[in-house]
Amino acid sequence: MQTRLDQLKEFLKESPQDPFLKYALTMEYVKMQDNSLALAGFEDLVAEHGDYVGTYYHFGKFMEGQGEKDKAIEIYEKGIAVAQSKRNFHALGELKNALLMAQGLLDEDE
């Protein structure tokens, strides 16, 4: 039986520039705690598919988990700009809240 990881890799062979597939594969690496492959996946998404809004929240959270708060803040700020340009107000709200939390200006309870 194929794992989800194997399936995603197969799908990517057929559509190597599909940002959703790259994102899904990256999130599998996050779940597996394969931090080097997760980081490489996030960096590829930002470099090759910078307008894929879904990347930024999870990339920022990943960097916070790695103890890289300043990098996470930078990622959230870039994501906010992308979300605004795409008029994706749901993502915009999530990214703004994540940024405020990373900056210590908002508690998770708020």
Side-chain angles (χ1 to χ4, degrees), residues 19 45-56 78 82-83 85-86 88:
L45 281 161
V46 170
E48 300 295 322
H49 308 282
D51 63 343
Y52 192 75
V53 178
T55 301
Y56 295 94
K78 185 171 182 177
V82 172
S85 73
K86 299 289 242 177
N88 184 330

Side-chain angles (χ1 to χ4, degrees), residues 29-101:
Y29 291 137
V30 169
K31 279 193 245 176
M32 295 167 46
Q33 297 181 337
D34 190 330
N35 294 338
S36 62
L37 287 176
L39 179 60
F42 282 126
E43 288 175 341
D44 175 69
L45 281 161
V46 170
E48 300 295 322
H49 308 282
D51 63 343
Y52 192 75
V53 178
T55 301
Y56 295 94
Y57 178 86
H58 293 285
F59 190 12
K61 288 295 181 187
F62 174 78
M63 293 310 294
E64 282 189 71
Q66 301 302 302
E68 297 282 343
K69 189 182 285 193
D70 289 341
K71 180 70 174 167
I73 288 170
E74 190 179 304
I75 292 162
Y76 293 139
E77 288 172 342
K78 185 171 182 177
I80 287 168
V82 172
Q84 284 175 326
S85 73
K86 299 289 242 177
R87 301 182 55 79
N88 184 330
F89 299 114
H90 177 75
L92 180 61
E94 287 183 335
L95 287 161
K96 282 183 174 182
N97 283 340
L99 175 62
L100 291 171
M101 284 194 295

